[in-house]
Amino acid sequence: MRKPLIAGNWKMNATGETAAALARSISDQSPAYGAVDLLVCPPFCYLQAVAAVLEGGTVLWGAQNMYHEPGGAFTGEISAAMLKDCGATHVILGHSERRHVLGETDEAINKKTLAAHQAGLIPIVCVGELLSEREAGQTGAVIRRQFDRSLAGLSAELMAATVIAYEPVWAIGTGKVAAPQQAEEVHADLRRLISERYNAGAADQVRILYGGSVKPDNAAELLAQPNIDGALVGGASLKADDFLAIAAAGTLLAGDDVDRPQTR
Ligand code: PEP
């Protein structure tokens, strides 16, 4: 069984006070959700405040971006080692807002992915098609291109340790969720691709999250798909009760006998 991962992307939201309060609320209730991994990704400037709350518990914290260079004259950037120093375990890379609003390329995301692994951070690498690409029947080609370019140069071992998030751009923050079958199709394709490019073991181990308007009322159906191993949650991760209701769907799933190829 791959352990489900429920990750919250807080984006550019919260204050120091609300970030700590949200982390506290999730942490206090986390013992009921031991069957899933819980991760929160606050803005950089609140990482340490969130770390102070979560330290010693089971809820993990991570970042929403980083720069690939280890240090130096890169004004405004944050390195993987700095994130590690704040206790981060994961970093979201190539989120669609970074790709499409901030112009990040697959090549830049690839450098970050390699640098994250080198520093011992687990990258959550996002891929996803635009609505126009889906309508033109290009979803598979777009996902394969993003996968091949953003994840180039990884060993099979590092591939297995990477988390992939399939986030159709048209479903992020829009309330339009992908149908479970639509999402499952892309997840299954991604796993097949990993098997082809790396090996079956890596494909079995890698966790592939779905993201795009995941809410308490649609999480169970999405997470019940055999190749969906968790969720990357934006809007609903800003309310502890909603985030944990999504985690509850993952918890139920982890306890049932859905055929998930292997443990990690
Ligand atoms: C996201 O930010 O990765 C995301 C999926 O957002 P939302 O859940 O709000 O669609």
Side-chain angles (χ1 to χ4, degrees), residues 1-4 35-36 247-258 260:
M1 286 279 294
R2 291 179 293 272
K3 190 173 183 183
V36 301
T251 297
L252 285 177
L253 182 83
D256 75 18
D257 55 4
V258 168
R260 277 159 197 271

PDB file of all heavy atoms in Angstrom, residues 1-4 35-36 247-258 260:
ATOM      1  N   MET A   1       0.832  -1.211   0.000  1.00  0.00           N
ATOM      2  CA  MET A   1       0.000   0.000   0.000  1.00  0.00           C
ATOM      3  C   MET A   1       0.863   1.256   0.000  1.00  0.00           C
ATOM      4  O   MET A   1       1.752   1.399   0.830  1.00  0.00           O
ATOM      5  CB  MET A   1      -0.848   0.035   1.284  1.00  0.00           C
ATOM      6  CG  MET A   1      -2.002  -0.915   1.325  1.00  0.00           C
ATOM      7  SD  MET A   1      -3.447  -0.301   0.440  1.00  0.00           S
ATOM      8  CE  MET A   1      -3.936   1.103   1.418  1.00  0.00           C
ATOM      9  N   ARG A   2       0.578   2.168  -0.905  1.00  0.00           N
ATOM     10  CA  ARG A   2       1.212   3.493  -0.819  1.00  0.00           C
ATOM     11  C   ARG A   2       0.418   4.291   0.206  1.00  0.00           C
ATOM     12  O   ARG A   2      -0.806   4.373   0.113  1.00  0.00           O
ATOM     13  CB  ARG A   2       1.174   4.187  -2.187  1.00  0.00           C
ATOM     14  CG  ARG A   2       2.066   3.536  -3.241  1.00  0.00           C
ATOM     15  CD  ARG A   2       1.950   4.277  -4.564  1.00  0.00           C
ATOM     16  NE  ARG A   2       0.641   4.151  -5.155  1.00  0.00           N
ATOM     17  CZ  ARG A   2       0.273   3.155  -5.964  1.00  0.00           C
ATOM     18  NH1 ARG A   2       1.137   2.213  -6.284  1.00  0.00           N
ATOM     19  NH2 ARG A   2      -0.942   3.100  -6.455  1.00  0.00           N
ATOM     20  N   LYS A   3       1.119   4.889   1.160  1.00  0.00           N
ATOM     21  CA  LYS A   3       0.405   5.662   2.189  1.00  0.00           C
ATOM     22  C   LYS A   3      -0.112   6.961   1.569  1.00  0.00           C
ATOM     23  O   LYS A   3       0.674   7.714   0.982  1.00  0.00           O
ATOM     24  CB  LYS A   3       1.359   5.955   3.351  1.00  0.00           C
ATOM     25  CG  LYS A   3       0.676   6.537   4.566  1.00  0.00           C
ATOM     26  CD  LYS A   3       1.652   6.651   5.739  1.00  0.00           C
ATOM     27  CE  LYS A   3       0.931   7.167   6.967  1.00  0.00           C
ATOM     28  NZ  LYS A   3       1.836   7.364   8.105  1.00  0.00           N
ATOM     29  N   PRO A   4      -1.403   7.241   1.686  1.00  0.00           N
ATOM     30  CA  PRO A   4      -1.904   8.489   1.093  1.00  0.00           C
ATOM     31  C   PRO A   4      -1.228   9.720   1.710  1.00  0.00           C
ATOM     32  O   PRO A   4      -0.901   9.733   2.895  1.00  0.00           O
ATOM     33  CB  PRO A   4      -3.407   8.470   1.434  1.00  0.00           C
ATOM     34  CG  PRO A   4      -3.738   7.035   1.662  1.00  0.00           C
ATOM     35  CD  PRO A   4      -2.496   6.427   2.264  1.00  0.00           C
ATOM     36  N   ALA A  35      -3.311   7.202   9.460  1.00  0.00           N
ATOM     37  CA  ALA A  35      -3.216   6.326   8.281  1.00  0.00           C
ATOM     38  C   ALA A  35      -2.779   7.100   7.036  1.00  0.00           C
ATOM     39  O   ALA A  35      -2.489   6.501   6.000  1.00  0.00           O
ATOM     40  CB  ALA A  35      -4.557   5.650   8.020  1.00  0.00           C
ATOM     41  N   VAL A  36      -2.765   8.445   7.135  1.00  0.00           N
ATOM     42  CA  VAL A  36      -2.304   9.236   5.996  1.00  0.00           C
ATOM     43  C   VAL A  36      -1.165  10.149   6.453  1.00  0.00           C
ATOM     44  O   VAL A  36      -1.028  10.437   7.638  1.00  0.00           O
ATOM     45  CB  VAL A  36      -3.438  10.127   5.396  1.00  0.00           C
ATOM     46  CG1 VAL A  36      -4.614   9.277   4.944  1.00  0.00           C
ATOM     47  CG2 VAL A  36      -3.902  11.192   6.376  1.00  0.00           C
ATOM     48  N   ALA A 247      -8.638  14.591   4.623  1.00  0.00           N
ATOM     49  CA  ALA A 247      -7.747  13.567   5.194  1.00  0.00           C
ATOM     50  C   ALA A 247      -8.549  12.354   5.659  1.00  0.00           C
ATOM     51  O   ALA A 247      -8.093  11.215   5.537  1.00  0.00           O
ATOM     52  CB  ALA A 247      -6.949  14.161   6.357  1.00  0.00           C
ATOM     53  N   ALA A 248      -9.751  12.610   6.176  1.00  0.00           N
ATOM     54  CA  ALA A 248     -10.596  11.500   6.647  1.00  0.00           C
ATOM     55  C   ALA A 248     -10.953  10.576   5.481  1.00  0.00           C
ATOM     56  O   ALA A 248     -10.978   9.353   5.634  1.00  0.00           O
ATOM     57  CB  ALA A 248     -11.859  12.040   7.296  1.00  0.00           C
ATOM     58  N   ALA A 249     -11.195  11.164   4.314  1.00  0.00           N
ATOM     59  CA  ALA A 249     -11.493  10.344   3.127  1.00  0.00           C
ATOM     60  C   ALA A 249     -10.285   9.467   2.797  1.00  0.00           C
ATOM     61  O   ALA A 249     -10.421   8.303   2.438  1.00  0.00           O
ATOM     62  CB  ALA A 249     -11.865  11.229   1.943  1.00  0.00           C
ATOM     63  N   GLY A 250      -9.093  10.029   2.941  1.00  0.00           N
ATOM     64  CA  GLY A 250      -7.866   9.263   2.703  1.00  0.00           C
ATOM     65  C   GLY A 250      -7.658   8.196   3.755  1.00  0.00           C
ATOM     66  O   GLY A 250      -7.173   7.096   3.478  1.00  0.00           O
ATOM     67  N   THR A 251      -8.039   8.508   4.977  1.00  0.00           N
ATOM     68  CA  THR A 251      -7.877   7.561   6.083  1.00  0.00           C
ATOM     69  C   THR A 251      -8.761   6.342   5.880  1.00  0.00           C
ATOM     70  O   THR A 251      -8.331   5.204   6.068  1.00  0.00           O
ATOM     71  CB  THR A 251      -8.237   8.262   7.419  1.00  0.00           C
ATOM     72  OG1 THR A 251      -7.318   9.325   7.600  1.00  0.00           O
ATOM     73  CG2 THR A 251      -8.158   7.333   8.596  1.00  0.00           C
ATOM     74  N   LEU A 252     -10.000   6.603   5.462  1.00  0.00           N
ATOM     75  CA  LEU A 252     -10.925   5.494   5.205  1.00  0.00           C
ATOM     76  C   LEU A 252     -10.368   4.594   4.124  1.00  0.00           C
ATOM     77  O   LEU A 252     -10.365   3.374   4.211  1.00  0.00           O
ATOM     78  CB  LEU A 252     -12.278   6.032   4.728  1.00  0.00           C
ATOM     79  CG  LEU A 252     -13.147   6.639   5.807  1.00  0.00           C
ATOM     80  CD1 LEU A 252     -14.427   7.188   5.196  1.00  0.00           C
ATOM     81  CD2 LEU A 252     -13.484   5.575   6.858  1.00  0.00           C
ATOM     82  N   LEU A 253      -9.831   5.269   3.101  1.00  0.00           N
ATOM     83  CA  LEU A 253      -9.298   4.554   1.965  1.00  0.00           C
ATOM     84  C   LEU A 253      -8.096   3.693   2.347  1.00  0.00           C
ATOM     85  O   LEU A 253      -7.962   2.552   1.918  1.00  0.00           O
ATOM     86  CB  LEU A 253      -8.853   5.600   0.948  1.00  0.00           C
ATOM     87  CG  LEU A 253      -8.329   5.053  -0.311  1.00  0.00           C
ATOM     88  CD1 LEU A 253      -9.508   4.734  -1.182  1.00  0.00           C
ATOM     89  CD2 LEU A 253      -7.442   6.062  -0.953  1.00  0.00           C
ATOM     90  N   ALA A 254      -7.224   4.268   3.176  1.00  0.00           N
ATOM     91  CA  ALA A 254      -6.026   3.533   3.575  1.00  0.00           C
ATOM     92  C   ALA A 254      -6.412   2.264   4.314  1.00  0.00           C
ATOM     93  O   ALA A 254      -5.690   1.277   4.294  1.00  0.00           O
ATOM     94  CB  ALA A 254      -5.143   4.416   4.451  1.00  0.00           C
ATOM     95  N   GLY A 255      -7.595   2.294   4.943  1.00  0.00           N
ATOM     96  CA  GLY A 255      -8.017   1.132   5.717  1.00  0.00           C
ATOM     97  C   GLY A 255      -8.775   0.107   4.893  1.00  0.00           C
ATOM     98  O   GLY A 255      -9.006  -0.992   5.353  1.00  0.00           O
ATOM     99  N   ASP A 256      -9.170   0.472   3.662  1.00  0.00           N
ATOM    100  CA  ASP A 256      -9.943  -0.515   2.909  1.00  0.00           C
ATOM    101  C   ASP A 256      -9.033  -1.309   1.982  1.00  0.00           C
ATOM    102  O   ASP A 256      -7.813  -1.228   2.056  1.00  0.00           O
ATOM    103  CB  ASP A 256     -11.140   0.130   2.178  1.00  0.00           C
ATOM    104  CG  ASP A 256     -10.721   0.920   0.955  1.00  0.00           C
ATOM    105  OD1 ASP A 256      -9.608   0.697   0.477  1.00  0.00           O
ATOM    106  OD2 ASP A 256     -11.517   1.751   0.495  1.00  0.00           O
ATOM    107  N   ASP A 257      -9.655  -2.117   1.131  1.00  0.00           N
ATOM    108  CA  ASP A 257      -8.809  -3.030   0.369  1.00  0.00           C
ATOM    109  C   ASP A 257      -8.706  -2.645  -1.097  1.00  0.00           C
ATOM    110  O   ASP A 257      -8.616  -3.495  -1.962  1.00  0.00           O
ATOM    111  CB  ASP A 257      -9.295  -4.475   0.532  1.00  0.00           C
ATOM    112  CG  ASP A 257     -10.762  -4.594   0.161  1.00  0.00           C
ATOM    113  OD1 ASP A 257     -11.343  -3.577  -0.273  1.00  0.00           O
ATOM    114  OD2 ASP A 257     -11.307  -5.690   0.313  1.00  0.00           O
ATOM    115  N   VAL A 258      -8.727  -1.329  -1.377  1.00  0.00           N
ATOM    116  CA  VAL A 258      -8.491  -0.884  -2.748  1.00  0.00           C
ATOM    117  C   VAL A 258      -7.146  -1.435  -3.202  1.00  0.00           C
ATOM    118  O   VAL A 258      -6.184  -1.442  -2.440  1.00  0.00           O
ATOM    119  CB  VAL A 258      -8.476   0.668  -2.814  1.00  0.00           C
ATOM    120  CG1 VAL A 258      -7.936   1.136  -4.149  1.00  0.00           C
ATOM    121  CG2 VAL A 258      -9.865   1.199  -2.586  1.00  0.00           C
ATOM    122  N   ARG A 260      -3.957  -1.245  -4.310  1.00  0.00           N
ATOM    123  CA  ARG A 260      -2.852  -0.328  -4.566  1.00  0.00           C
ATOM    124  C   ARG A 260      -1.579  -1.154  -4.571  1.00  0.00           C
ATOM    125  O   ARG A 260      -1.271  -1.795  -3.586  1.00  0.00           O
ATOM    126  CB  ARG A 260      -2.749   0.728  -3.464  1.00  0.00           C
ATOM    127  CG  ARG A 260      -3.697   1.828  -3.724  1.00  0.00           C
ATOM    128  CD  ARG A 260      -4.014   2.614  -2.508  1.00  0.00           C
ATOM    129  NE  ARG A 260      -5.196   3.341  -2.801  1.00  0.00           N
ATOM    130  CZ  ARG A 260      -5.197   4.552  -3.363  1.00  0.00           C
ATOM    131  NH1 ARG A 260      -4.082   5.165  -3.583  1.00  0.00           N
ATOM    132  NH2 ARG A 260      -6.307   5.117  -3.661  1.00  0.00           N
TER     133      ARG A 260
END
